[in-house]
Amino acid sequence: AQSVTQLGSHVSVSEGALVLLRCNYSSSVPPYLFWYVQYPNQGLQLLLKYTSAATLVKGINGFEAEFKKSETSFHLTKPSAHMSDAAEYFCAVSGYGGSQGNLIFGKGTKLSVKP
Amino acid sequence: DADVTQTPRNRITKTGKRIMLECSQTKGHDRMYWYRQDPGLGLRLIYYSFDVKDINKGEISDGYSVSRQAQAKFSLSLESAIPNQTALYFCAAGQGNQPQHFGDGTRLSIL
């Protein structure tokens, strides 16, 4: 079965500092991987996706993620945090076979940005 | 206009009541999903539908039912609500392995 583990339920950084949110996945087939962001009182918005093309994926708002098969990781980074990045971030892997397209989510990481 | 619209946005009700949450999409996607979000647990899949005649249970379907009235409409029902169904509910629409599009959620409180 596929699964996603997000290390750290809360991450706090200073404005201008590097953002690193960790995601490890388990999948017996080449995965489709996604990062979503949830701002307060809103739904989930897609940040970026990996679909077996380039291993370094660029998303919106300056975020990017690198797919590392050997480490089964898909960590999300941003070089310089802004106050507006404070939100909850979810990593997800897409199912396969009869569940193709279904998303299995990690438990989320809440990012706080200090002035 | 939002691609995926959920109604109501907020609902407070009592134990034992029947509740319906509605979802509609303008994306023309075949697939629709209902998730539940609880603090610290992420999103968990309740039901999903690959087309109008194809309804499938997700990870946590007990206590819930769904209806796919049309390609664009997918409703979630709680036949007899209980307090541990208090949560944030999301509807999503998608196509194959393409990213799903989410509604803004329904915050449901059961007293």
Side-chain angles (χ1 to χ4, degrees):
Chain A
Q2 292 177 302
S3 65
V4 172
T5 301
Q6 291 184 239
L7 296 176
S9 57
H10 288 87
V11 170
S12 182
V13 301
S14 297
E15 193 172 20
L18 171 72
V19 176
L20 170 60
L21 304 182
R22 298 177 188 274
C23 172
N24 288 89
Y25 70 91
S26 172
S27 177
S28 58
V29 298
Y32 284 61
L33 293 159
F34 306 84
W35 274 100
Y36 283 86
V37 59
Q38 184 182 27
Y39 298 104
N41 300 313
Q42 294 187 26
L44 276 70
Q45 178 182 352
L46 180 71
L47 272 179
L48 50 80
K49 63 180 180 181
Y50 167 76
T51 57
S52 75
T55 56
L56 183 62
V57 181
K58 294 189 183 299
I60 62 171
N61 301 338
F63 284 94
E64 62 182 35
E66 186 173 8
F67 173 72
K68 291 187 176 180
K69 183 178 179 181
S70 61
E71 299 177 8
T72 61
S73 68
F74 190 56
H75 301 332
L76 182 70
T77 60
K78 181 173 180 177
S80 176
H82 295 165
M83 297 297 291
S84 60
D85 294 327
E88 191 160 19
Y89 293 79
F90 293 94
C91 182
V93 62
S94 182
Y96 59 90
S99 299
Q100 185 188 47
N102 291 1
L103 293 177
I104 296 102
F105 284 90
K107 294 183 178 181
T109 298
K110 199 163 286 188
L111 176 67
S112 301
V113 182
K114 298 175 291 186
Chain B
D1 286 343
D3 295 331
V4 180
T5 302
Q6 293 183 233
T7 56
R9 290 295 313 277
N10 293 280
R11 178 79 184 270
I12 301 173
T13 191
K14 294 182 179 179
T15 298
K17 294 290 188 182
R18 183 179 188 274
I19 301 158
M20 179 181 288
L21 308 183
E22 299 190 4
C23 176
S24 62
Q25 54 122 344
T26 59
K27 301 290 289 183
H29 290 324
D30 289 337
R31 302 178 180 193
M32 296 189 73
Y33 305 82
W34 275 105
Y35 293 92
R36 163 179 177 156
Q37 183 181 17
D38 297 279
L41 295 181
L43 277 77
R44 293 179 291 167
L45 184 63
I46 305 173
Y47 269 95
Y48 60 101
S49 170
F50 283 176
D51 65 41
V52 173
K53 296 181 180 179
D54 185 2
I55 306 287
N56 302 280
K57 293 183 177 180
E59 178 187 353
I60 53 164
S61 60
D62 287 348
Y64 302 94
S65 62
V66 291
S67 174
R68 185 84 182 265
Q69 300 95 327
Q71 185 192 38
K73 295 183 181 296
F74 192 38
S75 60
L76 176 72
S77 293
L78 288 68
E79 295 301 324
S80 179
I82 55 177
N84 76 1
Q85 292 176 312
T86 292
L88 186 55
Y89 290 84
F90 285 103
C91 176
Q95 195 82 19
N97 270 317
Q98 296 304 307
Q100 294 178 17
H101 299 265
F102 286 80
D104 285 336
T106 295
R107 190 169 297 278
L108 179 61
S109 296
I110 300 164
L111 306 177

